[in-house]
Amino acid sequence: MIDKDRELINRYVYEVVKRVPKEQREEIELELRELIGDMSENMTLEQIFVKLGDPAVFARKYREDKNYVIGPEYYDNFLWVMKIVLICTWAGILVSAVVKCIVDYREIVDVIASGLSNAIMGTLSAFGCVTLAFAVMERQKIKVDLKREKVWTPELLNPIPDKKARISRGDCIVSLVFIILFSCLLIFAPQLFGAYSVKGGELAYVPFFNLERWRFILPVFLLGMAAGFVDELIKLVIGCYCRIVMLSSIITNTLGILFSIIVLKVMPFWNTNFAREVAEQFDDTFKLKIFWQNKQMLGWDGQRLSKIVLTIIIAASILEIAVTVYKTMRYGTDVRGQN
């Protein structure tokens, strides 16, 4: 068997195996290689691949799912992301409910009722958003395929990605967890971010954020978080550095920077009276009172903190783009098998 034929077989097996349940991959790979070997006795490799067909379609024979909204190519990733989103959503709602119970313990019944309502709405919203995102991704991919090729041929097999071009699934999941959990806390418990102290037997707090204008600030902030979520989702689904991932990184990081500038420099994001409210709200025994009264934050108004946070966001975004472009150009392969 020549090296070219062996490479095509490896590509086909790889495209099939990556779409089946993890615990069955080794067995299916051995079975598929044996099948190709038996067929090669009477057929050419070209005829074998045409008979077997598109790897995405062939992989369905090893799965129990049929024509669902999310097909076999995306189904495993869909389940992973759905579990992560739901767990993080529930965790964020639980934390927010606990904080509200502590702050407003006299209205604990209302807080619990609100928490249950948020849990239901959050679950439905999370399920709908994730399902819609994956459905759009799958439908779009199908449309692109139909425009380029009506009949599957072996030339459409993607090269097996270089190890250095593969994207860590664990890193994507960690990033998705952080984005979802942080977003849930900002939605359901923005008061969690602030200075706390016990005054007169009751819990007192001063928020970092401008909660009076929060209903205007939060949507813009969440758009920036959504851009990062989409980028990590695309990385998770594709699994390797390629032109699509590079384009996604450039677009989403640019949008993230844009929304960050709007939130931190245009909108009243911070509580500009934070230092004064801390000094007035907390008892003399509160150790940080003297700190704020002496204005060691150099006249807290949030502007300096905004510059610091914005600088970090821009630097991190540029670095992310640079790393993605470098790995794509150096190690990446086009998802359609073109270098």
Side-chain angles (χ1 to χ4, degrees), residues 162 164-165 241 323-333:
D162 187 287
K164 294 182 179 180
Y241 288 100
V323 170
T324 302
V325 171
Y326 171 77
K327 290 190 175 182
T328 299
M329 301 304 294
R330 181 72 182 274
Y331 308 110
T333 303

Side-chain angles (χ1 to χ4, degrees), residues 233-254:
L233 187 60
I234 291 175
K235 289 180 181 177
L236 179 64
V237 171
I238 295 181
C240 63
Y241 288 100
C242 61
R243 295 174 186 175
I244 294 177
V245 171
M246 181 175 68
L247 183 62
S248 168
S249 179
I250 294 173
I251 294 175
T252 56
N253 279 285
T254 301

Side-chain angles (χ1 to χ4, degrees), residues 304-321:
R304 171 168 295 190
L305 185 57
S306 290
K307 293 179 181 178
I308 295 174
V309 174
L310 190 57
T311 300
I312 294 174
I313 291 174
I314 294 176
S317 299
I318 294 176
L319 179 61
E320 173 69 19
I321 293 175

